[in-house]
Amino acid sequence: MSTSYQTLVAGLSELGLTAMHDGVDAVIDAVNSGSMSFTEGLDRLVSMELKKSRTRRMESITAAAHFPSKKTFEQFDFSFQPDLRKDEILDLQELRFMEDGSNVLFIGLPGVGKTHLAIATGMAAAQKGRTVYFISCHELLENLRKAKAENRLEYRMRHYACYSLLVIDEVGYLPIDGEEANLLFQLVARRYEKKSTIVTTNISLGKWGDMFGDAMVANAILDRLLHHSKVFTIKGRSYRTKEYSEKVADAKQ
Ligand code: ADP
Ligand code: MG
């Protein structure tokens, strides 16, 4: 006949509670020696299991998010962009904007850190267990257009609509025709006031009409994106050319 200890250990293993399984001996010893109450011991074991399951969830969300690289707020040099509202940027990692499905727009010329900040916010969301997906605008529209041609638009739309946070990178780098503008509108309308979207763009909002084949649809998209939103216009220099000029300066020394 097996002892209650043996059935407990086997049960934890069968349930896949590996952290509790690995920690149970130390907790039993602590409870037996009187240094921990039964409730404290059980709480310790549950905390270990919860920690493991949260870490696993965070890792799987981060892997599914398709971030092109790892970027964090700590890596961002705010002194290089002195006009940027640092406190407001850092507040993004608290994810308060996601409570009411607000959006975040980063506007600025190439190299000023738009994608960096979008990824950093996305990684902060993944760390808190929120589902995230990162995609360039060009790839997003290509996928939607393809899905429409293959009669599976609804399925694709639902896929992009379901994430708690969607990052659409590089809106405006390539022209967007009338059909694509319509597809983008449908997606933005579905997410409106429910799920948050981060957009990075090199085109100032006043010129969005020119970028889209259809100015009416461009306005409708902006209307929904901006209704509940935080807009950051980054006016500083390109970090890429900074790194380049430093290398040239080093080479000359
Ligand atoms: P954008 O999307 O605006 O074109 P990126 O975010 O891709 O620019 O930035 C270009 C490169 O420079 C990236 O490697 C990014 O991590 C880095 N970078 C940009 N701004 C900063 C900054 N202020 N501090 C640290 N790294 C930065
Ligand atoms: Mg970018």
Side-chain angles (χ1 to χ4, degrees):
M1 225 182 68
S2 46
T3 64
S4 57
Y5 170 74
Q6 283 165 335
T7 48
L8 169 65
V9 170
L12 290 173
S13 182
E14 193 176 331
L15 287 166
L17 301 171
T18 51
M20 289 179 84
H21 177 276
D22 296 346
V24 75
D25 280 332
V27 167
I28 290 174
D29 288 342
V31 172
N32 285 346
S33 71
S35 64
M36 200 184 264
S37 72
F38 173 74
T39 314
E40 283 166 349
L42 202 53
D43 179 45
R44 172 76 59 91
L45 289 173
V46 170
S47 301
M48 285 171 164
E49 196 60 46
L50 266 179
K51 189 170 167 218
K52 187 200 73 186
S53 116
R54 282 183 190 138
T55 306
R56 208 181 267 170
R57 179 168 161 78
M58 185 198 90
E59 283 167 359
S60 84
I61 291 174
T62 307
H66 284 101
F67 293 123
S69 54
K70 258 178 89 172
K71 299 285 175 189
T72 63
F73 288 101
E74 287 77 38
Q75 292 165 343
F76 197 81
D77 179 2
F78 284 93
S79 66
F80 192 71
Q81 302 294 357
D83 291 343
L84 206 56
R85 289 116 62 192
K86 181 177 174 182
D87 290 344
E88 249 183 279
I89 292 278
L90 289 179
D91 189 51
L92 292 175
Q93 59 196 320
E94 304 298 328
L95 309 181
R96 286 191 306 116
F97 71 96
M98 288 179 71
E99 304 279 311
D100 61 350
S102 285
N103 304 312
V104 179
L105 278 82
F106 293 111
I107 306 166
L109 294 173
V112 295
K114 304 181 297 295
T115 303
H116 185 130
L117 293 171
I119 296 175
T121 310
M123 284 183 36
Q127 251 155 33
K128 292 195 171 138
R130 314 295 297 271
T131 56
V132 186
Y133 198 73
F134 180 103
I135 190 163
S136 75
C137 183
H138 178 61
E139 198 185 336
L140 172 75
L141 294 178
E142 210 164 70
N143 290 347
L144 287 175
R145 188 195 263 278
K146 205 162 144 238
K148 191 178 172 200
E150 292 168 359
N151 265 330
R152 43 181 194 83
L153 181 61
E154 177 56 28
Y155 177 78
R156 262 292 94 176
M157 274 287 175
R158 240 187 262 162
H159 170 74
Y160 294 128
C162 78
Y163 292 94
S164 300
L165 181 63
L166 180 69
V167 181
I168 308 178
D169 194 35
E170 300 190 340
V171 176
Y173 276 70
L174 293 170
I176 295 171
D177 69 21
E179 184 192 359
E180 290 168 339
N182 243 302
L183 291 168
L184 188 60
F185 171 75
Q186 285 182 49
L187 180 59
V188 168
R190 271 191 200 218
R191 296 181 60 82
Y192 178 60
E193 292 191 325
K194 290 198 277 285
K195 307 274 173 79
S196 294
T197 305
I198 299 182
V199 166
T200 80
T201 181
N202 58 328
I203 309 280
S204 61
L205 300 182
K207 297 204 175 113
W208 270 43
D210 305 337
M211 152 177 71
F212 287 86
D214 186 324
M216 277 258 290
V217 182
N219 268 334
I221 292 172
L222 264 187
D223 209 42
R224 277 158 186 79
L225 280 178
L226 293 175
H227 184 193
H228 309 283
S229 65
K230 286 205 169 299
V231 178
F232 297 96
T233 304
I234 315 179
K235 294 212 177 84
R237 283 188 300 140
S238 162
Y239 203 80
R240 288 195 191 99
T241 53
K242 167 195 183 276
E243 288 184 329
Y244 172 76
S245 4
E246 279 172 2
K247 269 186 208 143
V248 172
D250 286 349
K252 278 186 184 158
Q253 272 174 15

